[in-house]
């Protein structure tokens, strides 16, 4: 019904009253309810995952398709461990400056042999302790300096000490007899040869000192030394100064394994993939995987449904408000000019 009222003051005013089902509160409420149901059931298949009714150790009656993308934590952990196992041990080359060690040994030999107050037998006795002590002192100072400067980790330095101790070389007794007889000229001739051999043999990675030590006689025989006693003494001194220089780095290897695990992408069962075939026995592992992802009918969780309901209500309100604004006229007084 449309009613129009006019006043006598020269201005014409029209008051409009609208009636009908379009403006009924009941109809609007019914539309709101129906829209909410429409949105809820339309969105439910794509938002709410299908719940599965399965039991452990029971055979699947049909092919079961993943209703959503399922993160497979156990498979991911397995892949991470496999990636970590593929990491090769990391070794580090650490130069001990073995040329300095051979230099210090020849300085001591030159000093003792040049001392005429020390008898030949006393020199032999001294060399039995002086030469090993000189080596131990040099290595000990290297370790102390490295620890103080924090050049290498404690774990790596412990590995260095362990390998050097394991591959320690003992000079034969007869070598001390030969060293005690060396003249000053012999020592001067032997020193550069020995230094060059140590430098050459330690230039490559040496995880096992026995390998370069076995090559020493060949190099010594090809050297400029002509006296047999000098060659034999140099041979043993060079072997003594050769140490391993390639060491297993446990810290770096562990860090590489951690990085390998972190870089392993997570494994998913893709939505739509068949992950349980018809007739397949349901394992505890598969059951736990579905339980973790809230895909079992036995697991009651109303939060997804509640979230979808709230979303449907919001969409319904939006649609209803949009329609109301279009059909509702101005119900107050509207001024018309004639």
């Amino acid at each position: 019904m449309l009613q129009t009222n006019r006043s006598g003051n020269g201005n014409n005013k029209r008051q409009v009253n609208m009636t009908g089902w379009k403006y009924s509160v009941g109809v609007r409420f019914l539309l709101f309810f129906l829209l909410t149901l429409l949105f809820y059931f339309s969105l439910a298949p794509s938002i709410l995952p299908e719940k599965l009714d399965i039991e452990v150790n029971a055979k699947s009656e049909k092919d079961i398709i993943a209703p959503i993308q399922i993160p497979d934590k156990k498979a991911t952990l397995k892949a991470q461990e496999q990636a970590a196992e593929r990491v090769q041990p990391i070794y580090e080359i650490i130069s001990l400056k073995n040329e300095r060690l051979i230099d210090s040994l020849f300085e001591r030999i030159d000093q003792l042999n040049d001392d005429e107050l020390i008898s030949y037998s006393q020199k032999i006795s001294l060399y039995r302790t002086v030469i090993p002590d000189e080596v131990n002192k040099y290595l000990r100072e290297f370790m102390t300096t490295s620890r103080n400067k924090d050049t290498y980790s404690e774990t790596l330095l412990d590995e260095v000490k362990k390998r050097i101790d394991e591959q320690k070389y003992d000079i034969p007794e007869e070598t001390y007899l030969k060293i005690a007889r060396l003249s000053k000229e012999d020592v001067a001739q032997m020193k550069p040869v020995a230094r060059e051999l140590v430098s050459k043999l330690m230039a490559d990675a040496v995880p096992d000192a026995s390998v370069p030590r076995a090559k020493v006689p060949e190099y010594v025989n090809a050297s400029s030394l002509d006296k047999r006693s000098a060659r034999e003494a140099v041979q043993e001194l060079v072997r003594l100064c050769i140490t391993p220089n390639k060491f297993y780095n446990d810290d770096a290897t562990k860090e590489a394994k951690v990085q390998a695990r972190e870089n392993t992408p997570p494994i998913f069962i893709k939505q739509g993939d068949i992950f349980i075939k018809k007739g397949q026995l349901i394992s505890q592992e598969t059951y736990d995987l579905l339980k973790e992802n809230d895909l079992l009918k036995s697991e009651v969780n109303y939060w997804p449904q509640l979230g979808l309901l709230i979303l449907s209500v919001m969409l319904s309100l939006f649609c209803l408000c949009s329609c109301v604004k279009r059909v509702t006229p101005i119900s107050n007084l509207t001024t018309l000019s004639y």
Side-chain angles (χ1 to χ4, degrees), residues 52 54 60 62-65 273-278 280-282 286 290:
L52 303 175
I54 61 174
S60 176
K62 61 178 182 179
D63 290 340
I64 297 179
I65 298 174
D273 285 356
I274 297 175
F275 70 102
I276 301 177
K277 294 184 178 180
K278 182 178 180 180
Q280 179 179 338
L281 198 66
I282 307 299
T286 302
L290 295 173

Side-chain angles (χ1 to χ4, degrees), residues 297-326:
K297 285 188 176 180
S298 58
E299 299 295 319
V300 179
N301 185 2
Y302 295 108
W303 287 110
Q305 288 87 342
L306 179 60
L308 180 59
L309 179 60
I310 293 173
L311 176 63
S312 301
V313 169
M314 292 175 66
L315 291 174
S316 299
L317 286 173
F318 176 77
C319 292
L320 196 59
C321 289
S322 299
C323 293
V324 168
K325 287 181 180 180
R326 291 178 183 177

Side-chain angles (χ1 to χ4, degrees), residues 132-144:
D133 286 348
E134 193 70 24
V135 175
N136 292 334
K137 176 186 174 184
Y138 179 84
L139 296 175
R140 187 167 55 251
E141 288 178 351
F142 173 83
M143 299 294 292
T144 302

Side-chain angles (χ1 to χ4, degrees), residues 70-82 264-269 285 289:
I70 304 173
D72 194 336
K73 294 181 180 179
K74 189 168 184 178
T76 300
L77 288 174
K78 184 178 179 180
Q80 289 174 342
E81 290 306 313
Q82 289 175 344
T264 302
I267 296 177
F268 294 92
I269 299 173
E285 178 184 343
L289 178 63

